[in-house]
């Protein structure tokens, strides 16, 4: 499943970045959480969560350092942002939503999957509750401004 998820996430990110950001994105390593480790959400400057329900219970995280989040938001909205408030947050949320939509479409053979609206969490707002038995797969990427990753987490 690791190779399949990696391919799905790379394709989704590539398609969204090409169509909506006109940015080149380079895939990096992929990491799967060992099944015996309890799931812990990522600790990054900025994380956007889009949940899955239905045939797949879990979701995706779009995780990045603040400088990368600002650059992605700015590219998405077509204006420059200096903080992750208001329109910057909305732009990054929409980016995560489109990536999640690509993953959702690719996993549609599993059955109907519903998406939740995106929610942004900053390092000062950590503390969301997750199932400890979630499986997790992180696909790392790089843009000129730095690294980020997309994590797909799901119930076994």
């Amino acid at each position: 499943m690791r190779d399949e998820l990696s391919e799905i996430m790379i394709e989704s990110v590539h398609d969204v970045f090409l169509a909506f950001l006109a940015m080149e994105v380079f895939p990096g390593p992929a990491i799967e959480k060992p099944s015996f480790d309890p799931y812990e959400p990522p600790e990054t400057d900025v994380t956007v969560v889009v949940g899955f329900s239905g045939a797949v219970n879990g979701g995706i995280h779009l995780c990045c350092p603040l400088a990368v989040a600002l650059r992605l938001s700015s590219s998405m909205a077509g204006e420059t942002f200096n903080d992750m408030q208001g329109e910057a947050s909305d732009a990054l949320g929409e980016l995560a939503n489109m990536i999640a939509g690509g993953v959702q479409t690719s996993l549609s053979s599993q059955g109907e999957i519903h998406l939740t609206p995106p929610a942004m969490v900053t390092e000062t707002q950590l503390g969301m509750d997750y199932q400890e038995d979630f499986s997790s797969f992180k696909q790392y990427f790089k843009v000129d401004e730095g690294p980020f990753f997309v994590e797909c987490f799901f119930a076994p």
Side-chain angles (χ1 to χ4, degrees):
M1 179 149 185
R2 175 185 165 157
D3 292 339
E4 180 183 359
L5 268 176
S6 178
E7 187 177 311
I8 287 169
M9 290 174 13
I10 289 171
E11 183 178 329
S12 182
V13 168
H14 178 265
D15 291 351
V16 169
F17 273 57
L18 184 64
F20 295 97
L21 302 178
M23 292 177 75
E24 194 164 4
V25 61
F26 303 96
I31 298 174
E32 188 171 8
K33 177 189 80 64
S35 60
F36 52 83
D37 285 351
Y39 179 75
E40 293 185 21
E43 292 184 25
T44 60
D45 292 342
V46 179
T47 300
V48 180
V49 183
V50 178
F52 294 153
S53 64
V56 175
N57 180 25
I60 67 131
H61 290 127
L62 170 61
C63 304
C64 44
L66 180 59
V68 175
L70 288 168
R71 177 66 173 106
L72 297 179
S73 293
S74 294
S75 291
M76 184 72 181
E79 59 183 277
T80 302
F81 297 116
N82 296 316
D83 61 46
M84 287 306 300
Q85 303 299 314
E87 289 182 30
S89 175
D90 292 344
L92 195 64
E94 185 55 31
L95 181 62
N97 197 44
M98 289 188 289
I99 292 169
V103 173
Q104 172 196 34
T105 299
S106 295
L107 296 177
S108 64
S109 63
Q110 307 271 333
E112 192 170 346
I113 301 170
H114 306 280
L115 301 179
T116 65
M120 189 176 80
V121 180
T122 61
E123 64 183 337
T124 59
Q125 299 171 320
L126 293 175
M128 297 177 8
D129 291 327
Y130 290 87
Q131 290 178 217
E132 282 193 7
D133 66 344
F134 273 148
S135 295
S136 165
F137 181 81
K138 294 178 185 173
Q139 176 63 55
Y140 286 83
F141 297 91
K142 186 177 185 310
V143 291
D144 287 342
E145 288 70 22
F148 69 95
F149 67 87
V150 176
E151 176 186 41
C152 185
F153 59 96
F154 48 92

